[in-house]
Every structure is written in C-alpha cells, then in structure tokens.
Amino acid sequence: MRYVILICLNLFLIGSTLAQQQVDICVYGGTSGGVIAAYTARKAGKTVLLIEPGRHLGGMTSGGLGLTDIGNKYAITGISRDYYRRIGQHYGKFEQWIFEPHVAENLFNDYVKRGQVDVLFSHRLASVRKTKGRIQEIVLENSDKPSARRTVRARMFIDCSYEGDLMAKAGVSYFVGREDNARYNETLSGVQLMTGHQLPDGIDPYKTPGNPDSGLVWGVSPAKLESNGTGDTKVQAYNYRICLTSNPANQVPITRLAGYDSTQFELLVRLIAAQPQKRALNDYFIWSHMPNQKTDINNRNGFSTDMIGMNYEYPDGSYQKRAQIIRDHELYTKSLLYFFGHDPRVPQELRQEMLKWGYPKDEYTDNGHWSPQLYVREARRMVGAYVMTQANCQGKEVVTDGVGMAAYTMDSHNIQRIVIEKDGRKMAKNEGNVEVGGFGPYPISYWALIPKESECQNLLVPVCLSASHIAYGSIRMEPVFMVLGQSTALAAVMAIDGNTSVQQIDVPKLQQRLKADPLADGSTPEILVDNENQALTATTGSWRLENKSKAGYGPSYLVHEEQSGEKASVRFTPEVVKPGKYRLYTYFPRLAKTASELTITVFDGKTSKAVPIKPADIVVVGQTSGEWVALGEYELPKGKAASVEIAARQADGPVVADAVLFVPTF
C-alpha cells in the first residue's frame, strides 16, 4: 500500500509540472489563415492562443509564395484584402500581390502585435482529449524537445494547419488522395493524364535507354496507369517556392551539398536534349520576379521543382517521417539549382544564366537563407457536413451559406511519373496535372468548414476544409485561407456567445456580421459599386457584358466598342451611409487593346471633376486581372448624391467600365 501511495504521489507531482493554459479559442497552425483567425478572435474580445509548430508565422505566404495566386480579387474580402493593401503600402501602392518573404512575415507579426495575440512557437500536437463530441483539451509537445509537454484547454478550436493534425486527432473524418470521379459525380478528380506540365513524347524511362532490365531512372514509378477518373491515395507534388536574388551584394552562393546526386536529373538531361530550342531558365522554371531583384520560382513543364511522387507518406506521417520528406525536398531542390549552374550536360547558356543568382542574405536569416516552409499543396481534407465539389466551382451548384469565395482555376499539380506505351514505344509521362478554369468567383459553404455534428461540435477547419480533390485545387489559395480563417474565427466567437455548437450558429447572422464589419475593428466599410449591381449603376448607349474573361473585377465587366462617336456612359452611384472623406478608385482590367485615353467624371454631390486616364500607363503586376487606378480624394455626403461616370466619347478603342471603389479615410 505504501508503494502505491508513493507512485500516486509521483504521478501527481509529474502532472502538476505540466504547463496548462485555458483560453476561449485555440488556433492551431500559424499559417496565413491561422494568423488572421487568431487576430479576428482577439478583436472580438476573446482570449486566444495561436500555436505554431515552427518558428515563423505566415505559412506559404511568408515562405516564398510571393506571386500570389488570386484568380479574381473580387473574391478576396475582409482582413485578407486588408493584408494585401498593407503590402501595397510597404511598396508605395494602393495594394500589391507580389512581395518579398520577409515583408510578408513582418506584416503577419504586426497583425499579432496589434491584435495582442498570444503565440506559442515550436510546439506541436501530441494528443487530443474529447468527450461527448467536444474537444476538452489538447496536449502539446515541444517541437525540439518532444518530452516537454503542456496542455491547452479551450471552448473552441480552429485547425489552421496545412496537414489537418488537430482535425485528425479529434476523430473527424477525412480523406487523403483523389476521389474516384463517380464519388461526387465529377469529371476531373481521380487519375488524369493530360498535356500540362508534361514530358514530350519519346523520353526514355530506362537507365540504359531501350532496356527495361536496366531499371527505371530516378523519379519514374513502376506503377501502371489506371483509367481516367480512377481514385487513389496519391498526393499532388510538393515543392519549395524559391526566393533567389540577382543582386551580387545580397547573394549567398548556390553550392554543392553533401548528398548531392546528379543521377536524380538523368530524366532532365534527356528532356534538355529533346528540346534544343529551349535554352532559358524560364523554359524549366516559372521564374517570377519579385521586388528588389528577387524571385518566386515555381514548377514548370515536364521536370522542375516539383518532387513528383515523393510525398505520399506525408499527410498521415509521423513528425519524424515528415521531417525526412522535408529534408529530401530541400536537398532535391538545392541540388537542382546547383545542377543547372554546374553540370557540364547543361547547355552553357543555361549554366551562365543560373550563375547570376544566389540565395538572398536578407531572407530566412535564421534558416540558412532557405524557406522554412515546404509547399504542402494538399494533405488531409475533411469530409464534413458539406463537401465542395467540381459542381460548386463551375457554378452548377451554388450554396447560399457562403462565408468566403474562391475564384482560382481547378488546379492540381502532377501526382506520379510513370511509363506508358504509345505507338509501340515506352516513354516517361507525368500524370495528375489538371488546370481547368473559365468560371467566376463562387461561394464556399460554411458547412464545408465544420465537421459533422456527430463527430465534433467545437472545431472549425478553414484550411483542410471539406472538398473533393479537384475542388480543393481551386480553393486552396493563401488569400482564401485568410478569408476563411476570419469567417471561422467569428463563427467560433458566435458559438461561445450563444453557448452552442459550431453547427448550431446562425449562419445568416455570421454572413451579415462579416459584411458589416469586414476588418473586425468596427471601422467604416469601403463601398464597392460593381457593374453587376444594377441598382447602383446606370448605362446609356451600347455596352457589351463580358463575363467569359477572367480580366475583370467580379463576375463581369462592360465594354463599349462602337467607333461611331456615339455617346455612351456608365454611372456608378454609391450609397454613402457615413459622410466624410473617401479615396476613389476605378478598376481597369488587363486587356490587349483599349482606348488610348478617356476621361472619368467624379461628382461629389456639389461639383464635377474630370480625371483623365491613359490606360497604357497602367502597369498590372502579378497574377491579377487588372489594377485599381486612383481618382483622388473627395468629401462625400450621405445618400446617393455622389457618382462616378465613365464615358466613351470619340474613343479610338474599346472603353471598359468595371467597378468603382470608395475607401473611407476617416
């Protein structure tokens, strides 16, 4: 009996030293969505803990993905839009969607500071305790010293990790891989052998060309090609979004690493030989230029930065297995850069071009000037109360409970590299790449962000949300994760205030609150008048509605193409609720040809001002459909007295009328 008492006493002492913390809302994952979720919850007056397994905030947004994937800026609302406005302020613009990694991270740190968010770095999930369908507490381990544990109790939990670890450990249903097309009546999930980012015909897959007995070269799988639409558990390729610099004063050389293996690039050598006309780095990488002589480099064509087929064990892998996969990707990517600069089998012009670049001294200064964030494009996906599918993306099924929008092309990177036979010849081919767009912004269901009520009642999942593989490929963009982070945080606040589950909140009320207070700080919302809003726009003359192009802001824009001197105009009239000073902007889509000059007339309720615009002077930067052009600052009265008119008079080319923005400055 004495020994039993001693054991119990020791267990009590051990338990008492386990650090504990109680908050209203626990956000797991310091990704872009995680930071915005935590900031939103704090602005709503709740106690919050943001947990990040690494040492940096922002996920891929601060991890090298500076060429923001947008689709249509109309879909980016609330604090997410504010983020890119603040990026713009840093670079002297209204808003900007390309940026350096450290600028992005500093801004996330600023949100945390302004929101007074408590952040726990270098801690990851060890276990979850759930009773009666609700998470009671989670146990964390120190990422560097796993034996050091602490617990966190919260009323609401938000899983903002790329991997969905909290969701999985809470016993919520999820899926890894590609659904069979038949599962959700789709055409683009499952196996897809297409032409995008593909190897040309005839690339031999064998170590000794023509000899299958010699074995396959590195990167080619012996798996057989299944029929199109067949489901599997394979995951689209990961890579690093690489930040390099061409500024010699800011360079760290790209050197040969221990473990470098040039045989990994035998297929690339054959690809280069097969296309002798391709002798620029942009033929092998998406080499996008960022501010201050830097890059965001992404995968391109048949063999590039995507490490195809080497990540299947990542989503459900242990921390140790994931760490090994991350190391393998880093070694592969750095070796690829070194290979292009130094291997004699690479044409001289390519080698010379690569040697102009190096790692930037002023980026990732605590991580060897290399991004700490692997681009985990897709891992687990929740199977929640509602599943977003291809039909949602293409507008064939439209939800009414949307709390965010997506607008990007349905986009999957390649998933495997295999051997196929064509015209009696064996060759290497990539499989899994899908890029299908042609649709406008569409709403994301609130029910896709929460588990089934029978599985968990106090968890929200805005990153590993409930979507099929191909629908997730459209939704999985960093600005959208921020939007959904804000929406789920406010939903968590409402669930706490209503003493209810996340499944029982008033979704229309959530939608209204997001619209009425988009920055979560009580400030006056900006006023958008889009051409789609017929109650606030009036047209004279002949205008064509263009809704098949991605160039506009929102679903469509208006085009006047008559060259007869016909007087045609579009008047945008805001409904001003709060009078005061507003900065005005109009949106100009990126078009091949427009009128060389036009005059926009701003009426502030008392006087008119003509603002001349030369579309040729408008520089569109990044993956964006156009730019906001400033029209000046005006004192606007309450009501509908003010207006902005875009007129086509003696135009020498098409005139576009899309949207006008009124941004309060008070």
Side-chain angles (χ1 to χ4, degrees), residues 108-134:
F108 284 119
N109 291 335
D110 181 63
Y111 274 98
V112 164
K113 182 179 179 180
R114 286 187 290 113
Q116 298 181 311
V117 176
D118 290 334
V119 183
L120 180 62
F121 287 102
S122 300
H123 279 76
R124 62 195 185 194
L125 194 62
S127 62
V128 173
R129 187 169 73 86
K130 189 177 74 170
T131 59
K132 296 181 180 179
R134 298 179 75 92

Side-chain angles (χ1 to χ4, degrees), residues 221-512:
S221 165
K224 76 167 193 171
L225 176 65
E226 301 291 343
S227 59
N228 261 19
T230 303
D232 57 28
T233 58
K234 299 181 174 74
V235 182
Q236 66 173 301
Y238 300 165
N239 73 342
Y240 278 95
R241 297 295 286 256
I242 309 165
C243 183
L244 300 180
T245 179
S246 59
N247 178 5
N250 192 33
Q251 278 184 1
V252 174
I254 297 170
T255 56
R256 175 173 174 150
L257 300 179
Y260 173 80
D261 181 4
S262 65
T263 65
Q264 287 186 320
F265 309 116
E266 177 59 33
L267 202 66
L268 176 59
V269 171
R270 297 177 188 184
L271 174 62
I272 292 172
Q275 45 190 32
Q277 76 282 9
K278 294 188 176 182
R279 290 294 183 264
L281 290 178
N282 245 319
D283 293 321
Y284 298 91
F285 306 87
I286 298 177
W287 202 280
S288 302
H289 292 269
M290 296 296 107
N292 294 317
Q293 298 175 261
K294 294 177 185 172
T295 66
D296 168 6
I297 300 170
N298 196 11
N299 182 81
R300 169 164 276 163
N301 295 334
F303 194 108
S304 188
T305 62
D306 278 0
M307 201 175 182
I308 299 172
M310 306 297 176
N311 60 339
Y312 299 159
E313 295 181 87
Y314 185 91
D316 278 324
S318 66
Y319 292 128
Q320 292 74 24
K321 170 56 71 174
R322 288 179 184 170
Q324 182 59 56
I325 292 171
I326 290 169
R327 286 194 295 271
D328 290 345
H329 278 71
E330 180 177 343
L331 176 59
Y332 166 79
T333 313
K334 289 180 174 179
S335 296
L336 178 66
L337 298 175
Y338 179 82
F339 173 85
F340 263 98
H342 297 85
D343 195 289
R345 294 171 295 177
V346 175
Q348 185 178 13
E349 54 265 52
L350 278 169
R351 279 182 279 145
Q352 289 177 337
E353 190 178 357
M354 178 60 78
L355 291 175
K356 296 175 183 177
W357 297 88
Y359 303 121
K361 290 180 182 177
D362 60 345
E363 298 290 353
Y364 315 124
T365 55
D366 65 344
N367 198 56
H369 311 288
W370 185 256
S371 174
Q373 180 63 62
L374 178 66
Y375 193 179
V376 178
R377 290 190 172 95
E378 187 175 6
R380 301 180 176 109
R381 300 188 310 279
M382 179 172 63
V383 181
Y386 181 88
V387 180
M388 299 289 294
T389 68
Q390 181 179 336
N392 296 109
C393 300
Q394 296 178 323
K396 297 175 182 177
E397 184 174 327
V398 182
V399 301
T400 59
D401 62 328
V403 292
M405 289 184 288
Y408 202 75
T409 294
M410 290 180 285
D411 178 18
S412 171
H413 279 237
N414 278 304
I415 291 171
Q416 56 183 339
R417 183 177 285 134
I418 54 177
V419 180
I420 71 163
E421 185 170 343
K422 184 176 180 181
D423 299 328
R425 186 179 180 186
K426 297 289 183 68
M427 61 189 71
K429 285 289 181 181
N430 298 332
E431 184 277 312
N433 186 85
V434 180
E435 296 169 271
V436 176
F439 46 82
Y442 60 92
I444 300 167
S445 171
Y446 171 72
W447 291 93
L449 309 178
I450 56 176
K452 299 165 186 170
E453 192 164 17
S454 61
E455 293 187 344
C456 194
Q457 298 162 23
N458 65 336
L459 173 68
L460 300 105
V461 186
V463 176
C464 292
L465 69 150
S466 180
S468 69
H469 161 70
I470 200 61
Y472 192 78
S474 170
I475 297 168
R476 63 170 181 84
M477 304 304 150
E478 291 288 296
V480 176
F481 287 153
M482 288 192 244
V483 170
L484 300 180
Q486 178 177 356
S487 300
T488 52
L490 187 53
V493 169
M494 291 174 61
I496 291 173
D497 291 346
N499 194 28
T500 189
S501 69
V502 296
Q503 290 83 10
Q504 297 300 323
I505 68 160
D506 186 337
V507 177
K509 185 177 179 180
L510 171 61
Q511 293 171 314
Q512 190 277 328

Side-chain angles (χ1 to χ4, degrees), residues 8-65:
C8 291
L9 179 61
N10 286 334
L11 288 173
F12 171 78
L13 291 172
I14 292 170
S16 66
T17 62
L18 187 68
Q20 297 186 17
Q21 190 168 355
Q22 173 81 46
V23 292
D24 293 323
I25 299 174
C26 174
V27 180
Y28 185 74
T31 59
S32 59
V35 173
I36 300 306
Y39 174 84
T40 302
R42 279 295 295 132
K43 297 301 284 186
K46 302 304 179 188
T47 55
V48 177
L49 179 64
L50 174 60
I51 301 164
E52 166 50 37
R55 302 190 304 272
H56 299 272
L57 295 178
M60 280 307 304
T61 299
S62 60
L65 208 168

